[in-house]
């Protein structure tokens, strides 16, 4: 059976207030060339993700994108009030005639003025991510098989 080197596979599901998406694309290439984009949240698992993809896909110029989108409305956002006030007073020294709200608009854009607390990466979430990755790989392999059948029919003609 012929397998196409071009392929596409996608899997998307919700887990604990987050929408996780795994998308895999490939183009023709004699060897395995992997480009992967993983959110910081899963960076520590990147090596394992690479290994799974390498073991399953074998050939092609492969792009894998993993996205984690929070769907919780009340995410843990913290405004560093002391730092914002400090930024505002320093901005006022630089330009004393601007209105206070202008200083505030600038201060909240400064580094570390606003932070979000990321929750710990639980083992159940990692297992869920790997299952989703395997689902995307299965969709990807199905695409390659379908394209391969079409290619085989064309060659047979």
């Amino acid at each position: 059976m012929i397998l196409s080197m071009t392929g596409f596979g996608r899997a998307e599901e919700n887990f604990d207030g987050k929408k996780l998406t795994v998308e895999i694309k490939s183009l023709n290439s004699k060897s395995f060339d992997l480009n992967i984009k993983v959110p910081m949240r899963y960076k520590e698992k990147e090596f394992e993700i690479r290994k799974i993809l390498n073991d399953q896909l074998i050939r092609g110029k492969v792009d894998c994108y993993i996205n984690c989108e929070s769907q919780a409305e009340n995410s843990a956002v913290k405004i560093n009030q002391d730092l914002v006030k400090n930024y505002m007073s320093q901005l006022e020294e630089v330009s004393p005639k601007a209105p206070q709200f202008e200083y505030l608009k600038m201060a909240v854009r400064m580094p570390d003025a606003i932070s979000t607390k990321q929750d710990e990466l639980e083992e159940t979430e990692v297992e869920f991510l790997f299952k989703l990755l395997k689902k995307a790989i299965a969709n990807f392999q199905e695409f390659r098989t379908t394209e391969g059948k079409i290619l085989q029919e064309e060659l047979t003609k």
Side-chain angles (χ1 to χ4, degrees):
M1 175 177 57
I2 296 175
L3 286 179
S4 175
M5 277 193 279
T6 60
F8 178 80
R10 178 183 170 99
E12 181 178 281
E13 289 188 33
N14 293 322
F15 178 84
D16 196 28
K18 299 174 198 78
K19 182 169 87 172
L20 279 79
T21 307
V22 177
E23 193 171 280
I24 304 169
K25 303 177 194 176
S26 77
L27 298 172
N28 293 342
S29 181
K30 289 181 182 179
S31 61
F32 183 71
D33 179 19
L34 177 62
N35 175 35
I36 186 168
K37 295 206 175 164
V38 180
M40 284 304 293
R41 178 171 186 75
Y42 304 125
K43 259 322 187 194
E44 66 188 66
K45 300 297 178 185
E46 184 176 345
F47 181 77
E48 293 172 62
I49 294 167
R50 284 180 176 278
K51 180 160 178 22
I52 291 169
L53 290 167
N54 189 32
D55 291 347
Q56 297 288 317
L57 305 184
I58 303 164
R59 290 179 66 178
K61 181 173 177 10
V62 178
D63 292 313
C64 177
Y65 303 103
I66 298 174
N67 190 32
C68 178
E69 188 178 314
S70 177
Q71 294 181 316
E73 290 184 24
N74 57 349
S75 60
V77 176
K78 182 177 183 325
I79 297 174
N80 188 337
Q81 293 182 21
D82 293 333
L83 186 60
V84 170
K85 288 176 186 175
N86 189 348
Y87 282 142
M88 288 177 66
S89 68
Q90 289 183 44
L91 289 165
E92 190 172 15
E93 287 176 21
V94 174
S95 177
K97 296 191 188 227
Q100 277 299 111
F101 72 90
E102 289 296 328
Y103 299 134
L104 180 60
K105 287 191 328 190
M106 287 187 271
V108 294
R109 292 187 189 130
M110 301 297 268
D112 301 322
I114 298 175
S115 63
T116 56
K117 181 182 175 256
Q118 264 197 345
D119 52 341
E120 290 285 318
L121 184 58
E122 301 278 329
E123 191 58 36
T124 54
E125 185 175 347
V126 173
E127 289 170 11
F128 185 84
L129 173 65
F130 287 153
K131 283 180 187 172
L132 196 61
L133 177 65
K134 289 175 183 171
K135 187 175 179 180
I137 290 170
N139 293 339
F140 175 84
Q141 297 291 35
E142 184 179 327
F143 185 99
R144 275 185 164 179
T145 302
T146 303
E147 288 289 308
K149 285 178 185 174
I150 293 168
L151 189 63
Q152 187 171 8
E153 288 172 9
E154 285 296 314
L155 290 172
T156 304
K157 285 181 186 178

